[in-house]
Amino acid sequence: MMSIYLPIAELPVNALVILLMSGAVGFVSGLVGVGGGFLMTPLLIFLGIPPAVAASTEAAQITSTSVSGLLAYWRRRLVDWRMGLLLSIAGVLGSVAGVRLFAAMKEIGQVDLLITLSYVFFLSIIGGLMLWESVGALRRKSRGLPPTRRKRGRTLAHVLPLRMRFPASGLYISVLPPLAIGFGVGVIAAVMGVGGGFILAPAMIYLLRMPTQVVVGTSLVQVLIVTSLVVVLQSTQTRTVDLVLATLLIVGGVIGAQLGVRAGANFSAERLRAILAVLVLGTGLKLAYDLVATPAEMFVLGAPR
Amino acid sequence: MSARAGLSTLVRAACALVLAALALAPVARAATPAQPPAAAGAASGLAAAVTDDVIAVTSDFRGARITVFGATPARRAPGDVVVAIRGPGAPITVMRKRRTGPLWLNRDPVSFADAPSFHAVVSAKPLVQIASTRDIWELGLDPAAQARLTSATPSDADPSDYRQGLVRLQRARGLYQEAPRGLVLRPGGLFKAQVALPANAQPGAYRADVYLFRNGRLQATESATILISRQGLEQTVYALAQERPLIYGLFTVALALSAGWVAALIFRRS
């Protein structure tokens, strides 16, 4: 078979399997409009790639898919650059903190636990919410009801000081909530090897009350800048980025995502979102089970100290 | 098959292409010259050699077979030959899983210095029938013997539990092997031992040691070296990641950015 040796992970993988897998995840992310990182990293871990290498290398794939996405939204003028850069500044600080945390946990041999726990936590929540929302949408659709409208109104962001105008989003809100959200997503991106779009987008809609059409494009600004930085930081501080694996992931992901965007018109987004939700929830539960079930082997190898 | 091979070539060619620029950078190559197999122990008459003294880890590396062969001096009573192949020693930490609330966490780390990264012992019959327990331990024929504890074990644990845990885990990864019937001994004193080096074996300087026992006592030893070295693309990528991590990181980002941009252009046109 097409075996290719990964120089940093120090093991061979089947290149075709990685290409197909990243292509499939890219396809789904192009179709549904979510980043694929939170699916791809656990899949790589299931394949036997060390979690630290999986998370760091996946950041490179997200960088490439977010460029294509951002260009598409930019052409349609659906990017709030001011908000995007504000989120990015906080995201940069967050990812620096995240890589520090990652390195510290690697030092004490707990980085795999940190990654697994983060996944269990976020996959369960995101999977649950996605399932809830998509089942609701499917039921409304089958009854012939219109999709629900988002409530408009004031949130904490409208009350806090240091307010600023965001013309592209038609908002006049405090800069503190975007900074806090950007920082948190930066930490998560560094630790989990994800773009964080799946947290960023709901936070922008529900906490900042940004118009839905500019949310994805704007979040991609932050995702692009933060994942680029994460790749550089993980390369210099933890040396866990595998360039050969990254190349395979980028090629598969970029092609898959473009095909997914094109196929989008022919699919029922709600049904697909429901399937994706089940997949996400299942992955989270599998990881959780492994943490709770009594292990067969009571010893484990850690990084040298 | 040909399509798959074609795709494979394409992927490798792509990797080679993007890395051509990197190869131009003056990255120091870990080109340790291959050492010739050690000269036969003339005094004892035990001779040993390996078929390949350099094993290249290239992008299609999927493990290798190491063959050690040789001859014992006495033709009538050849004695017992034991072949040990050992990889470079490295510090390693072993942790114990302990229940904390509902979760099983990795706790109580214990450090070992010089645990062999690879350890395979091949003989014609079980070691205990060949050598004394003391010799097995002192010659490092038991992988646990070479792993020196450098930190205290928790008060409720036995250090040997950790040692056995380490051996078990490395055995499961194929890095510690024991073949008590793997050695072929021909009449006339010729012997041959084969060890499958798994793909996850760490590159480095390996040693093949051959021990000759007679009536439970060590008569002679002989050794040869085997160099497992990354070569070509693998070496370029690894050396760059270790020695110029900033350039490596920036290059990876540049690759990701350009791939995304190019894809957007291509798919927009079509």
Side-chain angles (χ1 to χ4, degrees), chain A residues 257-269:
Chain A
Q258 294 289 344
L259 295 177
V261 170
R262 316 196 129 218
N266 310 321
F267 275 77
S268 154

Side-chain angles (χ1 to χ4, degrees), chain A residues 81-119:
Chain A
W81 284 101
R82 184 175 280 193
M83 179 65 85
L85 290 177
L86 192 65
L87 289 167
S88 300
I89 291 165
V92 164
L93 296 176
S95 63
V96 170
V99 171
R100 285 265 165 82
L101 178 66
F102 192 96
M105 294 302 261
K106 199 181 171 201
E107 193 98 328
I108 60 165
Q110 299 294 356
V111 70
D112 295 357
L113 175 73
L114 175 72
I115 294 173
T116 313
L117 271 183
S118 312
Y119 269 98

Side-chain angles (χ1 to χ4, degrees), chain B residues 25-91:
Chain B
V27 174
R29 281 159 189 269
T32 315
Q35 282 162 11
S44 64
L46 175 67
V50 289
T51 43
D52 299 298
D53 42 25
V54 178
I55 292 172
V57 176
T58 50
S59 59
D60 58 355
F61 181 68
R62 270 185 289 170
R65 187 162 285 281
I66 297 175
T67 305
V68 181
F69 60 94
T72 59
R75 300 191 170 202
R76 295 263 169 81
D80 294 307
V81 175
V82 176
V83 173
I85 297 175
R86 282 171 275 222

